[in-house]
Amino acid sequence: METSRSSATRKLFQILIASAIQRCRLSGILCRLTISLKGFYDAHPPSVRISISDTGAGSNLVEFRDLNSGSVPIPAEKWGIHENDIHRYCLNLKELHGSRKRLKSGTEVSLSSAEEESIDEFVKWVVGFVQKIRILKIPDIVIELLVEHINNHGSRSESFLQEINDFSSPIPVSNINHLVSGLEDYVLGDGNGLTDNRQSCIKNRASLMVGTGQTNNMDNNRGMIQMVEAVVMITPMPTCSCCRKTNCSATQVLYFQDFSPSSIPQSSLNALTNIDWQNHLTEVTAPESQHRASSSSKRNLMKNAIKLALDDLKRKHTAELLSLHAQQVREYVPDLSRTIASLIFSSNDLGFQEECTALLGLHSVDNKTEEKAESIIKEMITGIIEMKDRNLKRKKEDTAHCLLFECESHLEEECPDEDYREEPEDTAIIDF
Amino acid sequence: MAGRVSPSEPADLLAKIRGFVRLVLEDLCNGRPPSVALDRFKTYCSDPSGNCSCSTDLPCGKDIVSLESKSHAYRIDIMLRLLLIIQQLLQENKHASKRDIYYMEPSVFQDQGNVDRAINDICILLECSRHHLNVVPMGKGLVMGWLRFIEAGRKVNCIKNPNDGFPVPICIEETKDIVSVAQYILVVEKETVFQRLANDKFCERNRCIVITGRGYPDAPTRRNGLTFLVNPVYADPYGFDILTTYRFGSMQMAYDAKIFRVPGIYWLGVFLSDSEKYCLPNRCLLNLTAKDKQKAEAILMRCYLHREAPKWRLELEIMLDKGVKYEIEALSASSLSFLSTYIPQQIQGRHYI
């Protein structure tokens, strides 16, 4: 199904959604983004009618003409789309201005496509795509997805409306916190409201480990701020058989650009998925850049954001992130500490006891207890185990970092335009 | 060995334990995990040239036990727990058996073997023998014959009842005034053979001491047997292995092999050739199992057989070649008292190797 996945329809769909989101964000007010799919199963050939409408800031025709010279490599006929594949391409632009304030604006783009081999596959892909957008919990955008299945016997409709509660927080929340919250919901299978058959066996929000990182810099050429936000989330290893059978235990990478799902360079993807997450089901998201940036500076921003997120994660969850080996060794720490403390305090040589308590930094009489000594010894041994484990991991991470950023240059030639380069498989972005 | 080059009085050992704990703490303070360097000893290797250093009783390397792996962490954990118990035993001048120690925390120790290994580790660490730690083995051996001694102030007079078995003293250090007029000491492997000889009043008719370790001998049985001469064992690979334990010491306690081994011990029988000599019926012969063969082949590799007991090795080779074994009791098929005749005949005819 590689052909259909990289179809022009899907590429165009992504671009149209991305620009709709931009319009909504530009408007600065609560907007609705409605995606409507109508599948004509009994048509010859079967076709799907797609309508994307938003109540964001108005658009103009130039924006759509740019598509023609954009990145959709399709022979140009009308809007760069071959008549046999995609047709009835319509634009409905509304931009009404009152004398003082904007009353109403909006854009609707609709098209029909017979390019998809399977309408059901396409619908599934769109559902997944919308699901990814919802992870971002973009402030002030309500996303609605309507799907209608039409055949000779009638029609059946499905509607997925984003919970309005997502926007009811009285305190302004940063984008990255929205992302964390959305990703948590996604992992836990909560609140997405989409029937994608994805069942999550992880129910405990507290068991999720999260690290975040943000970087930004000024693009002097454009005078714009480039920003990348990264969230690394690790979930506990599922023990249920259903998760073992599925792909739940794999590392998942989500990448968003300009608040829209996009693809990440394959080398970076490989590096992230190759990190040994030590017994934890891992989900990694998502360098999210606020503005389009040049390729190399964006990579640097990504690199730093991911590194900051990983550092944050390690700082917050040192104990949980120990290797299996180190965790096994750490199980002996309480016993070892207790026994060493007992060896000191059960000795009938008081001078020896004094010497040991001094070594442990216990100077005042009140502190010279076996419990206190045990606690210090425990802390020391735990610290040593963690440090050794970190050193061991650092070597592996260095390799991963090399793959992620420094060894990319040779791949650039093969992938000149990474923004629209298709993943080899959708799972490369996410599909649980 | 170490026990004899290093002071092993309780006060010395307690000082060593404190020194070890101090080192562990210093390591921790310097960001290093607790670690123990243990000399490695062995009683044999598989070097057929015999040019190895197994017979020197010197360490042949070091094992560093640290927190590198789960198994190492467990080993250190058990070792420290044992060290704590031993510190208490030495401070209070009390004794405990290996079994007593095991039952103090059976869920932690999991297996008697883990306690045994930790005790061996501590012996190596503190350069002493097990009895110095006030850890006593479980009494297992039996003795009878022309012997009298005082054990912990109690007089044990085997001569008075030469046909009764007495427990081998557990604590050799508390055994004194040993008096014996025996001409030889006979070691038998199994208690059934011991009882057979007692039943035949063997010690009444022969001026000797008979001792058994009931299978693989325990430490006191071996330590008491320094002057023993002959040893009728099974003609099978496991019996042979027990024989080598008497003569060369066990691998587990290789660090202390020097005080446990009995280099002057002879193998009195039974030999495979005895089956023909005494017309043993074919039904008494058993085929060697795959496990037997494996065991025999492994024993044949041991360096000390090449170096010090080629005749023993030859017997094992013949057994492996013929592929059969038999139990010593089989010789009693014709007469229940066969052993009482066989043993003196073997000694008088110098049919021992």
Side-chain angles (χ1 to χ4, degrees):
Chain A
M1 298 302 290
E2 188 63 26
T3 312
S4 69
R5 284 197 184 95
S6 57
S7 71
T9 310
R10 293 187 186 195
K11 288 175 182 172
L12 186 57
F13 181 87
Q14 288 187 47
I15 296 164
L16 293 173
I17 292 287
S19 54
I21 289 171
Q22 291 312 310
R23 287 192 293 273
C24 291
R25 291 191 64 238
L26 275 173
S27 76
I29 54 170
L30 183 63
C31 292
R32 173 187 292 257
L33 168 60
T34 302
I35 302 152
S36 165
L37 301 179
K38 284 185 181 176
F40 298 94
Y41 288 80
D42 292 334
H44 298 288
S47 65
V48 62
R49 182 158 182 78
I50 305 161
S51 165
I52 299 164
S53 59
D54 65 80
T55 59
S59 51
N60 58 49
L61 275 173
V62 177
E63 186 184 331
F64 293 93
R65 283 196 193 106
D66 283 348
L67 282 178
N68 212 19
S69 57
S71 303
V72 187
I74 304 168
E77 188 161 316
K78 181 181 181 185
W79 294 90
I81 313 298
H82 194 279
E83 194 68 32
N84 291 336
D85 295 330
I86 299 173
H87 52 101
R88 292 185 189 166
Y89 196 99
C90 296
L91 287 172
N92 182 11
L93 311 179
K94 289 182 183 172
E95 190 160 20
L96 303 174
H97 292 274
S99 57
R100 286 175 177 268
K101 61 178 182 179
R102 179 181 295 168
L103 295 173
K104 187 181 177 186
S105 64
T107 305
E108 181 179 359
V109 184
S110 59
L111 59 132
S112 290
S113 169
E115 187 197 29
E116 291 292 328
E117 289 176 17
S118 160
I119 294 173
D120 286 338
E121 279 292 317
F122 180 70
V123 169
K124 195 175 162 190
W125 177 83
V126 170
V127 166
F129 192 83
V130 172
Q131 198 175 43
K132 290 168 205 166
I133 302 171
R134 286 185 175 179
I135 288 172
L136 293 173
K137 291 192 172 177
I138 309 167
D140 294 342
I141 302 182
V142 178
I143 302 170
E144 184 182 28
L145 174 62
L146 306 166
V147 181
E148 196 174 353
H149 306 269
I150 300 162
N151 57 27
N152 292 339
H153 304 290
S155 71
R156 177 171 59 87
S157 298
E158 292 174 276
S159 171
F160 312 104
L161 181 66
Q162 191 168 2
E163 290 287 332
I164 201 75
N165 290 344
D166 288 354
F167 308 101
S168 60
S169 171
I171 305 159
V173 180
S174 65
N175 287 331
I176 198 158
N177 287 335
H178 276 303
L179 180 58
V180 170
S181 165
L183 193 66
E184 283 178 351
D185 290 348
Y186 188 78
V187 168
L188 297 168
D190 290 343
N192 59 55
L194 297 173
T195 54
D196 63 341
N197 296 324
R198 188 174 65 88
Q199 298 287 328
S200 175
C201 297
I202 301 151
K203 299 294 178 198
N204 184 4
R205 194 172 289 261
S207 69
L208 303 176
M209 290 180 273
V210 183
T212 60
Q214 288 171 282
T215 50
N216 60 62
N217 69 1
M218 177 69 83
D219 183 342
N220 289 331
N221 294 333
R222 302 188 189 188
M224 295 169 78
I225 291 175
Q226 301 172 338
M227 183 184 290
V228 174
E229 297 171 334
V231 177
V232 177
M233 182 174 289
I234 299 183
T235 74
M237 182 70 93
T239 51
C240 52
S241 57
C242 53
C243 282
R244 283 190 187 140
K245 278 180 197 166
T246 60
N247 202 22
C248 290
S249 60
T251 298
Q252 310 284 344
V253 181
L254 297 167
Y255 178 67
F256 299 92
Q257 183 160 306
D258 297 334
F259 291 88
S260 187
S262 183
S263 56
I264 187 170
Q266 187 61 42
S267 55
S268 304
L269 182 69
N270 290 345
L272 286 168
T273 50
N274 281 339
I275 292 175
D276 181 4
W277 298 99
Q278 318 289 356
N279 288 320
H280 289 88
L281 158 63
T282 307
E283 312 206 3
V284 181
T285 186
E288 174 199 356
S289 68
Q290 302 284 43
H291 299 287
R292 295 283 291 276
S294 66
S295 194
S296 63
S297 65
K298 191 169 71 179
R299 267 200 205 99
N300 280 334
L301 282 176
M302 264 176 63
K303 170 183 175 175
N304 292 332
I306 295 174
K307 189 176 183 309
L308 287 172
L310 287 170
D311 289 347
D312 185 45
L313 184 78
K314 283 187 274 188
R315 194 174 52 249
K316 288 179 187 163
H317 301 282
T318 308
E320 295 95 324
L321 287 173
L322 284 179
S323 66
L324 174 63
H325 155 83
Q327 284 184 47
Q328 286 175 334
V329 171
R330 205 183 48 165
E331 284 172 17
Y332 291 97
V333 173
D335 276 355
L336 288 170
S337 320
R338 197 177 310 120
T339 312
I340 295 170
S342 297
L343 273 163
I344 297 168
F345 283 86
S346 71
S347 170
N348 55 12
D349 185 332
L350 295 179
F352 168 70
Q353 286 189 14
E354 285 289 326
E355 203 182 340
C356 292
T357 49
L359 269 173
L360 293 171
L362 300 173
H363 297 294
S364 79
V365 180
D366 294 343
N367 274 335
K368 289 178 184 175
T369 64
E370 191 170 330
E371 290 74 24
K372 190 74 185 166
E374 182 186 330
S375 157
I376 292 174
I377 293 166
K378 190 175 171 184
E379 212 172 281
M380 283 174 160
I381 304 178
T382 306
I384 290 165
I385 292 170
E386 288 173 358
M387 185 188 68
K388 281 174 80 75
D389 199 48
R390 272 199 302 275
N391 291 343
L392 206 67
K393 279 181 180 171
R394 195 164 293 144
K395 285 183 184 174
K396 292 180 185 174
E397 283 182 8
D398 285 348
T399 312
H401 280 206
C402 169
L403 280 169
L404 187 54
F405 304 110
E406 281 141 34
C407 307
E408 259 179 5
S409 53
H410 72 281
L411 292 167
E412 281 183 48
E413 289 175 12
E414 297 166 25
C415 318
D417 191 346
E418 66 187 40
D419 294 334
Y420 297 112
R421 185 166 47 81
E422 283 297 318
E423 296 299 333
E425 224 291 321
D426 260 4
T427 52
I429 299 178
I430 41 162
D431 262 345
F432 279 68
Chain B
M1 60 198 60
R4 278 164 290 166
V5 294
S6 175
S8 299
E9 291 299 313
D12 301 322
L13 295 177
L14 285 168
K16 284 182 183 177
I17 293 172
R18 290 194 297 271
F20 173 69
V21 174
R22 196 182 292 115
L23 272 179
V24 167
L25 283 187
E26 283 170 0
D27 275 348
L28 290 177
C29 292
N30 290 317
R32 290 191 296 266
S35 98
V36 191
L38 297 171
D39 284 329
R40 194 187 303 138
F41 294 92
K42 58 184 179 182
T43 50
Y44 61 83
C45 66
S46 57
D47 179 359
S49 71
N51 295 328
C52 55
S53 58
C54 295
S55 61
T56 62
D57 295 324
L58 295 172
C60 58
K62 269 190 193 298
D63 288 327
I64 307 293
V65 187
S66 186
L67 298 183
E68 295 299 327
S69 68
K70 188 186 174 186
S71 60
H72 275 208
Y74 179 69
R75 193 167 166 187
I76 289 193
D77 183 29
I78 300 297
M79 201 175 148
L80 287 170
R81 280 167 186 268
L82 261 289
L83 217 46
L84 180 61
I85 293 167
I86 287 163
Q87 179 172 266
Q88 285 168 341
L89 289 175
L90 291 172
Q91 285 182 169
E92 296 170 25
N93 193 28
K94 288 184 176 164
H95 292 77
S97 75
K98 297 190 301 176
R99 203 68 182 157
D100 291 337
I101 292 172
Y102 168 73
Y103 279 118
M104 286 177 189
E105 294 179 88
S107 63
V108 176
F109 295 134
Q110 293 173 26
D111 186 77
Q112 181 69 54
N114 291 328
V115 174
D116 296 356
R117 185 176 68 168
I119 291 169
N120 292 340
D121 285 346
I122 291 169
C123 287
I124 294 171
L125 177 74
L126 303 183
E127 300 179 314
C128 67
S129 297
R130 190 168 69 192
H131 60 275
H132 295 130
L133 305 176
N134 285 6
V135 176
V136 292
M138 291 164 293
K140 190 176 158 196
L142 290 174
V143 62
M144 67 176 174
W146 295 71
L147 178 71
R148 195 182 70 197
F149 57 88
I150 292 173
E151 182 192 9
R154 189 174 59 91
K155 198 173 178 181
V156 180
N157 193 349
C158 305
I159 303 172
K160 219 172 180 178
N161 302 296
N163 304 318
D164 289 346
F166 292 84
V168 169
I170 289 171
C171 193
I172 306 306
E173 284 61 41
E174 293 191 17
T175 306
K176 51 190 181 181
D177 297 339
I178 301 170
V179 177
S180 176
V181 288
Q183 292 169 329
Y184 58 88
I185 300 169
L186 182 72
V187 179
V188 297
E189 183 197 335
K190 287 210 301 190
E191 192 185 357
T192 53
V193 177
F194 183 90
Q195 295 301 349
R196 176 79 262 143
L197 293 175
N199 206 242
D200 288 349
K201 298 184 169 44
F202 186 83
C203 290
E204 257 184 43
R205 288 197 283 262
N206 302 280
R207 197 180 288 182
C208 68
I209 295 166
V210 181
I211 194 165
T212 178
R214 298 200 242 187
Y216 281 88
D218 56 1
T221 307
R222 284 187 281 149
R223 289 188 67 208
N224 282 333
L226 286 170
T227 57
F228 297 171
L229 292 173
V230 287
N231 179 36
V233 295
Y234 309 152
D236 85 0
Y238 289 87
F240 190 91
D241 192 29
I242 290 169
L243 187 62
T244 61
T245 304
Y246 276 107
R247 178 161 174 178
F248 300 105
S250 70
M251 191 62 117
Q252 288 87 342
M253 296 178 76
Y255 62 90
D256 240 356
K258 199 170 181 178
I259 68 163
F260 286 121
R261 70 166 69 104
V262 189
I265 199 166
Y266 289 95
W267 183 6
L268 182 72
V270 293
F271 305 112
L272 208 58
S273 55
D274 290 336
S275 66
E276 291 165 14
K277 190 175 169 185
Y278 295 102
C279 303
L280 198 68
N282 279 343
R283 66 173 187 276
C284 295
L285 295 175
L286 297 165
N287 288 327
L288 288 179
T289 64
K291 209 174 161 191
D292 286 335
K293 286 178 185 170
Q294 203 178 7
K295 178 84 178 173
E297 280 162 2
I299 295 172
L300 279 174
M301 302 288 283
R302 294 181 187 174
C303 60
Y304 52 50
L305 292 183
H306 287 280
R307 192 176 55 239
E308 295 172 50
K311 287 182 181 172
W312 287 21
R313 192 173 183 280
L314 189 63
E315 277 297 320
L316 191 62
E317 275 183 329
I318 293 168
M319 187 195 302
L320 199 57
D321 192 42
K322 294 197 170 174
V324 289
K325 63 177 182 180
Y326 66 96
E327 303 282 330
I328 194 168
E329 290 91 335
L331 288 174
S332 305
S334 53
S335 160
L336 272 179
S337 301
F338 176 82
L339 280 176
S340 298
T341 318
Y342 171 80
I343 292 168
Q345 274 179 7
Q346 291 290 93
I347 294 170
Q348 281 158 23
R350 294 184 174 270
H351 296 140
Y352 45 79
I353 55 175

